[in-house]
Structure formats: structure tokens, C-alpha cells
Amino acid sequence: MPPATRQGVYESDGWKCRFCNGTYLLHLHHIKYRSEGGTHDPSNLITLCATCHETVHSDKGLWQEILLEYVSLRESGANPTCTIPVYLDSVDEIGSAKQG
């Protein structure tokens, strides 16, 4: 990934994790996975701390839906800051929908 892209995404995300607002051990996560054709385009990247990044990779299917919603909000002109409580509510809703 070009360093300018990495720098730009970190700056756009305020140098903090978009889940928990943490600022330690930041990673860039590909919303559409590279293995599925995702690119290094900034619109496909989100800043996550190491802990939240590990959480996302622990259940890719579930978190993929949440991240796609984040992208939808961002593309609509919103600047979403998606904190863990908001995501946990979304997880409960998605889990209930999948079971029902």
C-alpha cells in the first residue's frame, strides 16, 4: 500500500480506531477483503486498533455487514464514528435477524 494512502486514511479517520476511538497500535483494515478483490483505495480502508482489528477478523461474515453499513454512511456524506456500543447493538440486531 502506498505510504500516502496509509497516511491519508489515518488522517481522515482522525488517527484513531473507528470502533473504540483508541489511538494505540493502529492498523488499516480492508473493508472488502483483498482476497475478494478489495483494493487499497481509501474508500475501502478503515482505521482500527489492533484489538478491534482482531475482533473483526474473528467473525468476518458478521463484521463485513457492519463495515458495509459504515461505508454506506460514509458515502452518504456522513462522517460516522462507530463506537463499540453502536456495533454491539448492530451485532445483536444482525444475530437476531439471522436466527429468525
Side-chain angles (χ1 to χ4, degrees):
M1 173 182 318
T5 299
R6 182 177 298 279
Q7 178 82 12
V9 174
Y10 285 144
E11 287 176 5
S12 175
D13 287 344
W15 289 93
K16 60 186 174 185
C17 175
R18 298 303 282 191
F19 280 9
C20 71
N21 293 317
T23 58
Y24 185 68
L25 292 176
L26 296 177
H27 297 188
L28 289 183
H29 174 72
H30 291 85
I31 295 166
K32 182 176 182 182
Y33 295 105
R34 301 229 24 234
S35 62
E36 297 172 359
T39 68
H40 293 318
D41 187 85
S43 66
N44 188 48
L45 299 168
I46 185 172
T47 303
L48 300 176
C49 70
T51 301
C52 290
H53 198 196
E54 184 177 325
T55 299
V56 166
H57 279 275
S58 71
D59 188 345
K60 291 180 180 182
L62 174 66
W63 290 98
Q64 184 72 17
E65 291 183 51
I66 294 167
L67 289 169
L68 291 172
E69 177 64 22
Y70 169 88
V71 169
S72 177
L73 288 170
R74 186 165 65 182
E75 287 176 351
S76 73
N79 185 18
T81 298
C82 304
T83 60
I84 290 290
V86 170
Y87 275 106
L88 292 178
D89 287 345
S90 297
V91 168
D92 289 342
E93 290 172 18
I94 291 169
S96 296
K98 286 183 177 180
Q99 292 175 355

